[in-house]
Amino acid sequence: MLADIGIFGLGTMGENLCLNLVEKGYKVSIYNRTEEKTRKFYEKNRSSAIIPTYNLKDFVESIKKPRKVILLIKAGDPVDEAINHLLKHVEKNDIIIDAGNSHFKDSDRRYSELKKVGVNFFGIGISGGVEGARKGLSIMAGGSKEAFDEIKEILEKISAKYNGEPCFSYFGEGGSGHFVKIIHNGIEYALIESISEIFFLLSKFFDHEKISEIFNEWNKSILSSFLLSATVNILRKKENGKFLIDYILDKAEQKGTGKWSVEISLETGIPAPAIAAAVFSRYISMMKESRVKYSKLYNLSKITNFSLDLEDIKKTLLVSILLSYIQGIYLLKGSSFYNYKINVSEALRIWRAGCIIRGEILNLLYKEYLNYEDILLSNNIKNILLESFQSFLKTLSFAFNNHLPFNVISANYNYFIMVINEKLPANLTQALRDYFGAHGYKRIDKEGYFHTEWY
Ligand code: 6PG
């Protein structure tokens, strides 16, 4: 009997997705570039629902037509290479699904290239990591509608469920699914950094056990989220009786999706300073050797007495997380710049389960977005921000006074203060541009562009 679907790439994601598909009743054909992996995985998970294959011809021929092949491989050139090899064996109307963290512009290109030869390219952004692959993912799909209809049932089965509602959605042609996933990851970066900055502040005054207790309490409130609960678990983890977190090098790596979110911000002109700050925080963290040198030269370390309420810190995290999501939402709204028509409400809906950025604040944003597409106009959001603002300021000034890094949290402060300010100093910016470059400026009392001979 032929397989319902094929998995190309048996990394941990591929393996777990295979087991998930089998559990949902599908017959799955598997292929990996190195035979050894396929062999080992099959030996460990021997089942009549898994067909191990060791060359691409057998792999493709072992799948029912129209064939559906999911690529679970490293984004970038490996995807093009895999597609080129597969094209020698697949036929018209077969569907190649790229489930990696690919750039949406690459997915747009692959979509058009494959369309020319009659093969369907489908890009799905999947979130949830290894556990999600095994138990249920949040799936952001993009590609031809016909291909979507063919794979819809499978996507539904492997998706996470929020109160029984499957967390997958079709966002349109080309790379639109990967576009949504990139914004998801940009938000992920800003949330991770917000939690890390708060952790760093708390760690100056409390031990890990206490901080995990604090976070655990917060996790029972509106701050309840996957990332906060993951932090609680991380802070509890010991190795040989010592906290593992203390042995992890403070250099944060990245695979590029956060940077791509910032590129979207720069290209569309939609501000996302919290996401940019999160990416730069990772870059600065990578300067470990320089940081060691500079820290000796600029010895500014100073810790005053702890003069904050935990409630102030909690509200600070709440504001930073909320504003980070909000910037992501506005980025999604800018999808028309790339000729997509992303349904933002759908993105928020399917992020409610399975994905890394799931949490109560997101649930709230989903509900509010149904009434306020310009989300900062929502009364509920306004009330949360205003109600927490004094606490936010207190924590911010405490962090500044103690020379603690608050890169994302302060980026969120400036974003908020600027977007709610009717008047900004951009009049002087314009005057200076006109002064030295005759770039012209608009006036508040007359229509049109003006230039002044300033000297
Ligand atoms: C997810 C994650 C996942 C992966 C990131 C990590 O939604 O499941 O986003 O895709 O963990 O790609 O990205 P960095 O290596 O850039 O942190």
Side-chain angles (χ1 to χ4, degrees):
M1 215 174 87
L2 293 173
D4 299 296
I5 189 158
I7 290 188
F8 183 125
L10 287 178
T12 35
M13 290 298 281
E15 289 184 353
N16 281 285
L17 190 62
C18 173
L19 297 175
N20 186 355
L21 282 160
V22 168
E23 199 174 270
K24 301 287 151 41
Y26 293 105
K27 196 171 171 97
V28 186
S29 184
I30 52 172
Y31 171 81
N32 193 70
R33 225 159 32 95
T34 45
E35 284 188 32
E36 191 53 19
K37 262 210 142 164
T38 315
R39 234 178 275 284
K40 273 202 181 136
F41 175 73
Y42 186 65
E43 267 161 32
K44 207 170 141 206
N45 301 284
R46 202 171 272 275
S47 148
S48 57
I50 300 178
I51 308 176
T53 65
Y54 300 97
N55 64 64
L56 276 182
K57 186 170 179 292
D58 289 352
F59 173 62
V60 171
E61 284 176 359
S62 68
I63 309 165
K64 258 184 232 161
K65 292 183 196 174
R67 301 182 181 101
K68 303 162 191 81
V69 174
I70 303 193
L71 304 180
L72 272 156
I73 54 179
K74 204 167 170 291
D77 293 341
V79 175
D80 288 310
E81 280 162 33
I83 291 175
N84 288 339
H85 290 308
L86 278 168
L87 282 180
K88 293 181 197 133
H89 306 284
V90 293
E91 292 170 16
K92 273 197 165 45
N93 299 325
D94 285 350
I95 307 167
I96 298 179
I97 305 156
D98 173 18
N101 273 329
S102 290
H103 197 292
F104 61 95
K105 289 182 184 174
D106 283 334
S107 302
D108 275 342
R109 169 179 56 78
R110 289 167 186 144
Y111 174 77
S112 330
E113 282 170 5
L114 267 64
K115 202 173 185 175
K116 285 186 201 137
V117 292
V119 173
N120 285 302
F121 174 80
F122 211 83
I124 60 170
I126 58 174
S127 180
V130 178
E131 196 187 327
R134 183 69 185 85
K135 296 186 183 147
L137 292 156
S138 172
I139 304 176
M140 297 143 251
S144 81
K145 185 74 177 68
E146 299 82 69
F148 177 67
D149 290 337
E150 284 287 341
I151 58 174
K152 200 169 156 181
E153 193 192 296
I154 296 179
L155 296 185
E156 180 174 344
K157 291 263 171 64
I158 59 167
S159 67
K161 310 292 176 296
Y162 181 82
N163 290 341
E165 237 184 87
C167 289
F168 80 107
S169 196
Y170 173 68
F171 288 97
E173 306 275 311
S176 51
H178 280 137
F179 176 84
V180 178
K181 178 65 189 352
I182 287 176
I183 307 289
H184 167 283
N185 281 29
I187 298 171
E188 176 185 303
Y189 274 50
L191 302 192
I192 291 177
E193 197 56 32
S194 299
I195 296 173
S196 301
E197 288 172 3
I198 293 292
F199 160 70
F200 200 63
L201 184 156
L202 288 171
S203 66
K204 300 291 172 198
F205 307 98
F206 302 103
D207 60 23
H208 298 327
E209 216 152 326
K210 176 70 185 166
I211 302 172
S212 64
E213 267 171 38
I214 295 170
F215 282 168
N216 197 34
E217 273 314 299
W218 293 0
N219 203 35
K220 293 172 190 157
S221 70
I222 187 171
L223 281 174
S224 164
S225 61
F226 166 76
L227 283 169
L228 198 59
S229 69
T231 309
V232 170
N233 293 337
I234 288 168
L235 293 179
R236 284 178 180 160
K237 185 79 182 167
K238 286 190 175 168
E239 208 182 67
N240 305 322
K242 306 244 170 73
F243 286 105
L244 179 56
I245 187 75
D246 291 333
Y247 291 89
I248 298 181
L249 182 64
D250 54 337
K251 280 168 98 170
E253 299 180 14
Q254 53 191 308
K255 297 203 193 76
T257 44
K259 185 182 91 180
W260 297 341
S261 276
V262 181
E263 284 170 1
I264 293 172
S265 163
L266 295 174
E267 282 180 349
T268 57
I270 299 168
I275 299 174
V279 174
F280 288 136
S281 287
R282 291 199 192 186
Y283 288 169
I284 297 174
S285 81
M286 292 303 285
M287 298 165 53
K288 177 76 183 183
E289 292 70 21
S290 302
R291 290 194 285 118
V292 170
K293 270 189 263 164
Y294 305 153
S295 71
K296 290 186 180 122
L297 192 62
Y298 297 88
N299 187 8
L300 279 182
S301 55
K302 162 186 157 191
I303 289 296
T304 57
N305 284 339
F306 186 66
S307 59
L308 288 168
D309 259 345
L310 285 178
E311 199 55 26
D312 291 330
I313 306 177
K314 180 182 174 188
K315 285 182 178 168
T316 304
L317 184 57
L318 169 61
V319 171
S320 192
I321 288 178
L322 184 53
L323 289 171
S324 300
Y325 279 121
I326 287 175
Q327 287 159 57
I329 290 176
Y330 285 113
L331 283 183
L332 281 177
K333 282 164 68 77
S335 74
S336 57
F337 184 88
Y338 302 101
N339 299 320
Y340 301 137
K341 288 193 199 93
I342 301 300
N343 181 334
V344 178
S345 161
E346 270 298 278
L348 299 177
R349 183 183 70 76
I350 64 157
W351 287 347
R352 290 179 304 162
C355 76
I356 304 298
I357 65 169
R358 64 187 185 262
E360 275 308 313
I361 301 177
L362 179 75
N363 300 349
L364 170 75
L365 284 164
Y366 167 67
K367 282 194 214 127
E368 291 305 309
Y369 192 84
L370 298 175
N371 293 318
Y372 297 94
E373 295 201 354
D374 192 351
I375 194 71
L376 276 166
L377 294 180
S378 144
N379 262 322
N380 285 335
I381 301 298
K382 180 195 80 179
N383 290 342
I384 294 177
L385 289 169
L386 291 185
E387 202 270 314
S388 310
F389 192 64
Q390 285 311 317
S391 294
F392 186 57
L393 283 185
K394 264 198 234 165
T395 316
L396 206 65
S397 60
F398 181 83
F400 286 160
N401 275 321
N402 287 284
H403 312 138
L404 293 169
F406 249 34
N407 201 20
V408 168
I409 296 176
S410 62
N412 273 323
Y413 164 78
N414 282 308
Y415 173 80
F416 181 58
I417 282 301
M418 287 185 80
V419 297
I420 62 163
N421 224 311
E422 188 187 336
K423 203 125 176 80
L424 290 174
N427 50 347
L428 180 58
T429 310
Q430 281 300 81
L432 283 166
R433 290 178 69 243
D434 190 55
Y435 183 97
F436 60 73
H439 295 294
Y441 55 87
K442 284 186 179 174
R443 302 177 59 106
I444 56 170
D445 55 346
K446 297 180 215 166
E447 285 293 316
Y449 263 93
F450 297 87
H451 165 62
T452 297
E453 291 301 325
W454 294 92
Y455 49 86

